[in-house]
Every structure is written in structure tokens, then in C-alpha cells.
Amino acid sequence: MAATANHTLTGYEPAAREAVVDFQRHLWKGGRERNGAYLDWKYHRNPYLDDRYLVLAWDRDALVGMVGGFGAAWAIGGQRVVLPCLADTVVAPRLRSGPLFADMLAELVDRLRADGVPWLLDFGDQPAGPALLMRGWVPIGPWTVAKAARSGAVVGGAAWRTAPGTEWEGPRSGCAISPRGELDATTAEAMAGLVAGQPSPKRVRHVRDAEYFTWRAQNPLAHYYYLLARRDGELRGYLVAHRTRVDALDGETPTTIVECEAADDDVWADLVSTSLRVLPGSVVLLWVRDLGAGRNAHLDALPFQSTH
């Protein structure tokens, strides 16, 4: 336990669960049942790290702030390590112009230092980015994103869950591309095998194995959509898109392609082009950092525009 001038900072205890579930209406917005399931999924069923790096701020008995560090596995120079990622930052509206966020972050960093954790990662998906840079954080981006605006009918999630037997032929690769609305153990293992067979970049990289794929698919605040490309029964590529559960399929929230892994550039292009025909949502985002020349050439032929 630590104290600031006006607030008490603590770690997470089971007795705080209901307060956290209610307070996270400001960010998670899944209602009490889904918020509780998300808390359990992210911090209690996480295969890499428990809830030890959740920091809560209290004004007497009222929860007024929270920052979290959830676990993820990374490969650095052939060594696998677990590093926390900053997430779920919320400050009570009446306190957002004050120092509470900085106080909570300092408490989290102190805990990490005491445990010998060298890095805390943030992916810029929180409004805290400018404040982090002002406090000496080092940017490792930019994380360039391409955007495609779409029109026409929105494909509902039910269509993906009831789509066995649906296939499209990739015109470049000749692969059979099929949709999946849920992830089974066999597919998770095949996806992990495909990743393991790709050249390893000479930098820090996120570990994507079957354990990670399976855990991610259980996120109670997310819909995941899978496209699988096979040739002669062998998985040659896959695409994973994400959409929040707390917005309607025809709402303003974009659908984000969070992964597209392929054995070659033609398979990659077929997966991305197919996704633009069948994914839900009026806007599709694609992370495009570190694409090679061949994939960038394919991207230029698709209706994407770079956003930053």
C-alpha cells in the first residue's frame, strides 16, 4: 500500500472485484457481467502473469483510478521472456486534470523495478500516450495503419459461426480460403506451426503460439473472425480480425486485422483481399509495419489508405 497527498494506492484483492467491475464502465463498457469476465480473462486466466501489477487508487472507500500491467510473452534474441503491458487506465472524471495517473504509473513502475522487470510496454491505444512521452518513455513505433472504407451489406457474426463448407478460391495463390467464427485446438496448433516456420525477425517479437491463440480467442469483450488459406489440406496462411462486442456490427467502431500470416506474398494478398469482401464493419484497419516490398505492392492495389 502506498499513499499520495489525497489518495491511497493498493494492489488488487478479491474484495475489490465488484468495485473494479463497476468502475470499468468508463472504459470496458461491457456491463457488469462482461466486465467481470474480462477482468478474470485478462488478469486471472492470463497464461503468463497474474494480477500482481494492477494498481488501484482509492478516495476512502471509493475507487477513483486504475492502471494495469497484464502479461505477454516475447522473444528477444532467441530467449523467451514475459513482460507486462500497460492497459486499462482509468481515472475518475473529476480527477482527470490532476496527478493521479502519474502517481499510479509511478507506483506500478516502482513495483516492476523491485521485481527486476526491465521493461513495461504500451501500444499507444490509450489516451495516456503524450503523458508517457513527457515522462521519458521511449517510442518504438510508429505503428503504421492502413484504412479501407467499405460499403454494402454487413456480414453478421452468425454467418461466420455457421459457415462450415464455405470456401473461396484465392486467385493468386490457388488456396481454398474459408471463414471461421470460432477457434478450435487443431486450428490453433496449425496457426502456431505456420508462425514457427517463418523467418524470425532480428528484434523483439511477440510470441504467438497455440496457448496464446487459445487464450486470446476467449476474450469476452471481443469478436474474432478467422480466414484460413489451405492448399492440399495444408494451412498456408491465416488472417485474424477483431471487433469489439460492445458495438453493433454496423456501428462506427472499425474492424481491425490484427494478424495476417502467410507462407508467401500471394497467399497474403488473397487473404487480405478476401477479408475486404466478407468482414463485418464499414471500416477495416490493417497494421502494415514491416511489410516487405511484395506485400506493399499488393497493398497498393487494394483500397487502403495509410492513416499514420
Side-chain angles (χ1 to χ4, degrees), residues 175 194 227-230 234-239 261-263 267 271:
C175 287
L194 183 69
L227 289 176
L228 308 178
R230 289 190 172 92
E234 178 186 3
L235 186 68
R236 301 289 293 167
Y238 68 84
L239 180 147
E261 194 68 64
V267 176
L271 284 165

Side-chain angles (χ1 to χ4, degrees), residues 74 100 128 180 195 221 244 273:
W74 303 84
L100 185 55
R180 294 289 185 275
V195 171
L221 293 184
T244 177
S273 60

